[in-house]
Amino acid sequence: MNSFLTTELAPTLPQISKVPTIIIGMDVSHGSPGRADAPSIAAVVSSRQWPFISRYRAAVCTQSPKLEMIDSLYKKVSDTEDEGLFRELLRDFYVSSKNVKPEHIIIFRDGVSESQFNQVINIELNQIIEACNHLEEDWSPKFTVIVAQKNHHTRFFQTNSPDNVPPGTVIDNAVCHPKTNDFYMCAHAGPIGTTRPTHYHILHDEIGFSADDMQELVHSLSYVYQRSTTAISVVAPICYAHLAAAQVAQFIKFDEISEATSSHGGVSTAGTVLVPPLPRLHKNVRSSMFFC
């Protein structure tokens, strides 16, 4: 580990330090515009060794080109077997946290627009709930789903000053949505240019975060990215998911996948392009991707 937060060691993180909590980051990486047949890479990372929030594990898979919603979070093979991404992460959390099951699950999602918010809840969150029920029927953790957006045109300035807003600035009124739960945060410093804040939307909150507790958690997660010694512009789980998807995309031989897709007719019965799964590693090879 490069660094820990003092709030992890105290521990004083709201809603996390006292209740077993797993933090999830999800992102999908698409092929370049010139490669319409290149599969999309879905990456999901999860925290481990509760109550720490500085260490993460990644699980990745391929899916149909340009498909934004992750469709492999839950893949039922039999009544006792699930090959989805989320079951793999839950097992890792359970083992690394001394056989403790998470009672709270906090999900950070990147790369979706406002028109896709309902799909995140109806498709991805439902898959995660099904994965939990498949693992243990009597287990009912609470969920919170947050979407982070960077592609917007909102900027903030200090009155009568040429400097950017100081790192850690939060705006949760006036310019926010009048009905939904959202806020802007500039967690990072902007020494050059104009700081672009991250827009966070809380789509679903069963845990019951107060506004201050949610903002404190997001701010803390901006400091645990191990490639940076300062705060970054978005929470670390999302950065790790983006990094994992980008790394796996470098390993795929697009020409071979294109030939395999053509040999199968190119399109499945559901109308989606057939995408070969990622190759399975040998049982003696550790398949984990750790970020620490």
Side-chain angles (χ1 to χ4, degrees):
M1 299 298 298
N2 294 333
S3 62
F4 283 104
L5 287 180
T6 55
T7 53
E8 292 181 86
L9 303 176
T12 58
L13 287 171
Q15 302 286 353
I16 292 180
S17 298
K18 297 180 180 180
V19 181
T21 303
I22 184 171
I23 301 173
I24 305 295
M26 302 195 302
D27 191 22
V28 178
S29 175
H30 304 290
S32 59
R35 296 303 304 267
D37 58 340
S40 296
I41 308 296
V44 184
V45 305
S46 65
S47 61
R48 54 198 318 270
Q49 297 181 354
W50 176 81
F52 296 115
I53 62 170
S54 298
R55 194 170 190 180
Y56 293 82
R57 182 192 192 280
V60 294
C61 70
T62 55
Q63 59 185 33
S64 299
K66 309 304 179 184
L67 178 63
E68 182 59 44
M69 293 297 115
I70 302 175
D71 60 1
S72 299
L73 293 168
Y74 173 66
K75 293 177 65 175
K76 182 179 179 180
V77 178
S78 64
D79 291 338
T80 58
E81 192 171 355
D82 168 24
E83 294 185 350
L85 299 178
F86 202 73
R87 182 185 180 95
E88 181 182 342
L89 299 175
L90 287 175
R91 284 177 170 176
D92 179 76
F93 179 89
Y94 182 78
V95 173
S96 66
S97 302
K98 300 179 180 179
N99 299 336
V100 172
K101 291 182 294 186
E103 297 180 23
H104 292 170
I105 298 178
I106 303 173
I107 303 166
F108 287 93
R109 183 64 161 93
D110 186 32
V112 295
S113 62
E114 293 186 13
S115 62
Q116 297 172 310
F117 285 176
N118 287 334
Q119 296 180 54
V120 172
I121 299 298
N122 297 331
I123 297 176
E124 295 182 341
L125 180 59
N126 281 348
Q127 287 185 75
I128 293 173
I129 293 173
E130 288 178 355
C132 294
N133 293 336
H134 189 273
L135 195 63
E136 186 175 333
E137 292 184 359
D138 297 332
W139 177 41
S140 300
K142 295 181 180 180
F143 297 90
T144 293
V145 181
I146 306 110
V147 170
Q149 291 182 327
K150 289 282 290 182
N151 294 327
H152 56 77
H153 301 288
T154 304
R155 303 292 185 272
F156 298 106
F157 306 91
Q158 297 190 61
T159 304
N160 300 323
S161 174
D163 298 329
N164 279 311
V165 294
T169 298
V170 176
I171 297 91
D172 59 2
N173 55 26
V175 296
C176 297
H177 198 282
K179 296 182 179 180
T180 61
N181 188 0
D182 67 321
F183 63 92
Y184 293 88
M185 177 174 287
C186 295
H188 61 301
I192 300 175
T194 303
T195 302
R196 177 186 294 181
T198 301
H199 193 185
Y200 292 95
H201 303 261
I202 294 87
L203 304 186
H204 185 78
D205 184 18
E206 296 176 348
I207 298 175
F209 280 95
S210 66
D212 290 342
D213 286 348
M214 174 60 71
Q215 292 161 13
E216 181 180 348
L217 172 63
V218 170
H219 188 232
S220 297
L221 288 172
S222 301
Y223 277 88
V224 297
Y225 188 57
Q226 299 299 316
R227 289 189 170 194
S228 174
T229 57
T230 59
I232 57 177
S233 61
V234 70
V235 291
I238 285 180
C239 285
Y240 285 139
H242 182 76
L243 178 63
Q247 287 181 343
V248 172
Q250 301 299 318
F251 304 149
I252 296 178
K253 297 180 179 179
F254 294 111
D255 294 337
E256 293 181 3
I257 288 180
S258 179
E259 292 175 2
T261 302
S262 300
S263 65
H264 286 84
V267 179
S268 67
T269 55
T272 57
V273 178
L274 289 170
V275 176
L278 292 174
R280 292 185 177 272
L281 296 179
H282 190 274
K283 62 180 180 180
N284 293 335
V285 178
R286 294 187 63 182
S287 59
S288 302
M289 293 179 65
F290 295 109
F291 298 97
C292 58

